[in-house]
Amino acid sequence: MFTGIVTAKGVVRAVSGESDRRFSIESAYDPDSIDIGASISHAGACLTVIEKSATPSGGLHVVEVSPETLDRTTLGQWSVGSEVNLERSLRMGDELGGHLVTGHIDGLGEVVNRVETGDWLNLVIRAPGSVAKFVAEKGSIAVDGVSLTVNAVQKDVFSLMIIPHTAKVTTIGQLQIGAHVNLEVDLMARYAARLMQAED
């Protein structure tokens, strides 16, 4: 379980494999603090650490990604040099600064507009129908693993106002029109929709 508060921005240093792949990710995380088998959110996708080592700037960890995950997320587009939002799994007693995020991607969104106003960034994203029905104005959504508040919704399109800090410390600030992003809907929205279906 995660909160959507990114704690490091990693860089892909190596990629191997075809149908399933191994990614080596370098970040500021101390490898001594990461257990083999630990779960880390990578751009919103929960992946398991299978190897780790120290580097001059922090540490390197290795994850394996299945063909299904490569097909259903943006991870299949990663190459050496790609930057990745990272978050360690939530521990009991940790501050819940964002919202509850499972690390299971619901669908891919597409950035359809980007407007910069000073240091602030407004992004407009089109969601697939399976996701759009759960997106609500002033509700929460995880975009590439980042917990964000929805400003407005119109059919399958929603807008986000990105504060300067978030744009700087995550990959969100780099998104351009046409980019695809991993989306995970708010658990509360999902449960509310399920309850409404059960009552019909």
Side-chain angles (χ1 to χ4, degrees), residues 67-89:
E68 181 179 4
T69 300
L70 293 172
D71 289 342
R72 292 176 174 267
T73 70
T74 61
L75 277 62
Q77 302 169 16
W78 288 359
S79 59
V80 173
S82 295
E83 291 190 325
V84 182
N85 295 324
L86 301 175
E87 182 188 356
R88 305 282 294 271
S89 57

Side-chain angles (χ1 to χ4, degrees), residues 189-200:
R190 189 195 308 276
Y191 290 140
R194 184 68 185 93
L195 284 171
M196 290 177 66
Q197 289 175 351
E199 291 174 356
D200 291 342

Side-chain angles (χ1 to χ4, degrees), residues 11 40 43 80 192:
V11 179
I40 297 178
V80 173

Side-chain angles (χ1 to χ4, degrees), residues 31-63:
D32 289 339
S33 70
I34 301 174
D35 293 330
I36 298 298
S39 295
I40 297 178
S41 170
H42 296 70
C46 178
L47 301 175
T48 301
V49 175
I50 60 170
E51 297 176 16
K52 62 177 183 175
S53 59
T55 67
S57 61
L60 192 78
H61 67 269
V62 179
V63 292

